Amino acid sequence: ELSRHDRAFVRPSPNRGTLGGLAAYTNDAVTLCQSAGYELVLVETVGLGQSEIEICEGVDMLLLLVPPGGGDSLQGAKKGIVELASMLVVNKADGNLLPAARTTAADYEAA
């Protein structure tokens, strides 16, 4: 488990209503982790949408996870962040959701 690894530091940082999907001090926390010798720093956000793209300023790579079956309405809601993403991954692509995940992936590839 990652949180128990001796070279891992896992810390939640709620944004407390700050727009942009990040807490006000997230970039400082990333810099601190890099200064402490962590080669890889993962920053997880939730609820990103069209106007919440500040995460792009504080990371080297933006990975966007999307659920299967979102369709055009999801694409419209996340338009700004989709255009800035370095990589887009359709998650939950197993079991009964596999066909929907394939369709969602194809829709994003064609966009």
Side-chain angles (χ1 to χ4, degrees), residues 36-90:
Y38 289 94
E39 295 177 22
L40 177 64
V41 179
L42 302 176
V43 178
E44 180 183 11
T45 65
V46 294
L48 290 176
Q50 191 167 342
S51 64
E52 298 178 325
I53 56 175
E54 285 81 6
I55 183 66
C56 297
E57 297 172 15
V59 297
D60 295 324
M61 177 185 174
L62 177 63
L63 173 69
L64 180 63
L65 295 174
V66 296
D72 291 336
S73 61
L74 176 64
Q75 231 173 352
K78 294 189 174 287
K79 183 179 177 187
I81 200 72
V82 168
E83 292 168 349
L84 296 170
S86 306
M87 183 184 297
L88 190 141
V89 174
V90 179

Side-chain angles (χ1 to χ4, degrees), residues 10-27 29 43-46:
V10 179
R11 169 107 173 49
S13 55
N15 67 2
R16 301 201 192 282
T18 305
L19 293 178
L22 297 176
Y25 55 84
T26 299
N27 288 337
V43 178
E44 180 183 11
T45 65
V46 294

